[in-house]
């Protein structure tokens, strides 16, 4: 069962290796970020933030469904992107 998500971003200049965090914690962190966008005044939002704020409820529902569907799966590498100078991996543990 996949219980945690681990993210690694490496580039020539720096490396971001986030520790494995439980899927529920990742969901609540993203949900809190999406929810808190309503406190940013509309005139200060760029067009992408406007779209995220407009579809806030749909995004939260999609995240909840995605985590529910990923939880029963065995651990696997969800994303692996590699270029000459950069590498990004997202693993479900």
């Amino acid at each position: 069962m996949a219980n945690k998500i681990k993210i690694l971003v490496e580039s020539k200049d720096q490396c971001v290796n986030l520790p494995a965090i439980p899927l529920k914690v990742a969901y609540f962190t993203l949900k809190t970020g999406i929810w808190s966008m309503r406190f940013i005044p509309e005139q200060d939002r760029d067009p992408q933030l406007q779209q995220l704020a407009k579809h806030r409820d749909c995004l939260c529902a999609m995240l909840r469904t995605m985590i529910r569907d990923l939880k029963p799966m065995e651990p696997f590498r969800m994303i692996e992107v590699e270029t000459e100078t950069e590498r990004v991996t997202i693993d479900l543990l």
Side-chain angles (χ1 to χ4, degrees), residues 1-3 66 68-76 92-93:
M1 260 172 75
N3 291 320
M66 192 168 84
R68 185 191 67 223
D69 291 346
L70 288 173
K71 231 173 167 21
M73 294 183 165
E74 292 298 317
F76 68 97
L92 287 176
L93 309 174

Side-chain angles (χ1 to χ4, degrees), residues 13-71:
D13 300 330
Q14 66 188 98
C15 176
V16 177
N17 189 7
L18 298 176
I21 58 172
L23 288 172
K24 283 187 179 185
V25 172
Y27 168 73
F28 285 115
T29 302
L30 289 170
K31 184 178 176 181
T32 301
I34 292 169
W35 175 81
S36 65
M37 281 190 298
R38 67 182 179 165
F39 296 110
I40 300 172
E42 281 196 40
Q43 65 270 20
D44 292 341
R45 295 182 194 162
D46 61 9
Q48 289 137 344
L49 269 182
Q50 290 280 35
Q51 288 298 315
L52 286 174
K54 182 178 175 183
H55 301 291
R56 180 174 51 237
D57 296 332
C58 181
L59 284 169
C60 288
M62 182 182 67
L63 285 170
R64 189 173 43 252
T65 301
M66 192 168 84
I67 288 174
R68 185 191 67 223
D69 291 346
L70 288 173
K71 231 173 167 21

Side-chain angles (χ1 to χ4, degrees), residues 69-86:
D69 291 346
L70 288 173
K71 231 173 167 21
M73 294 183 165
E74 292 298 317
F76 68 97
R77 176 156 287 166
M78 187 182 330
I79 295 174
E80 182 172 26
V81 178
E82 197 165 337
T83 66
E84 296 167 359
T85 59
E86 296 156 352

